[in-house]
Amino acid sequence: MHTTIPAATDRQQHTVVSAEEWASARRRLLEKEKAFTRLRDELNRERLELPWERVEKTYRFEGPRGTETLADLFDGRSQLMVYHFMFGPGWEEGCPSCSFLTDHIDGTLVHLANRDITLLLVSRAPLGQIEAFKKRMGWQVKWVSSYGSDFNYDYQVSFREEDKAKGQVYYNYGPAEFIAEDLHGLSVFYKNGQGEVFHTYSTYGRGCDMLVGTYNYMDLAPKGRDEDQLNFTMSWVRHHDRYDQQYTVDPAAAYQPPKATGSCCHGEGGDS
């Protein structure tokens, strides 16, 4: 005999079945999960087969060690991953959603370093702003400033006044509406034995989902990400020092573009 119970949200109802029926349904889903895993493996293989782009410019960054080039940022390794963190000059704090992602990084650093990978953050904010916010958040990951450099613009995560005037930018490999002067992304580079640097991969939008471990856990929970009822999917996210007993989420809250005198966050809607 089947019974139904209300779901945690109004999205669906769930039947309650016997152990045998549950196992049968779970096996059917398992076949789809295995197919997804095989497809993901194939996508990973195709990603490794992408052609490379030689980096011709000498980009300079300001960090804890002073001025460094892109080649210096590899820190003796051959692979470099750069997370483009939304934090512009004059902003009071970094993007809450980028902070959400960065909360997952510190524990990976020792493992990545021992697999020949350096991972760090880059923002346009001056180094003083970056270091103050990094101290507040308690992160250990290296974070450098590209202030005064073309780096963020060349890798299509920052936009100039003329883009704002047009109302349209080039982002995630196509035209997109201008919503903020900085957006997020991940860019990957390789340095060979001769010191030549190559751009091997970049991803934007929901392409960075895989870097957010919390979402992977939520996807396995009964309520999932529980964002369908939100006007702006990530309106629930706070800086980790801003959750408290009065924490509430306004489902009608809209995306708020960053301001020079306030905080910012980025949208996660749409496909990767």
Side-chain angles (χ1 to χ4, degrees), residues 27 156 179 271:
R27 283 192 293 268
Q156 297 140 22
I179 60 171
D271 297 329

Side-chain angles (χ1 to χ4, degrees), residues 94-107:
C95 164
S97 298
C98 289
S99 299
F100 178 45
L101 184 150
T102 303
D103 283 337
H104 298 81
I105 289 179
D106 280 352

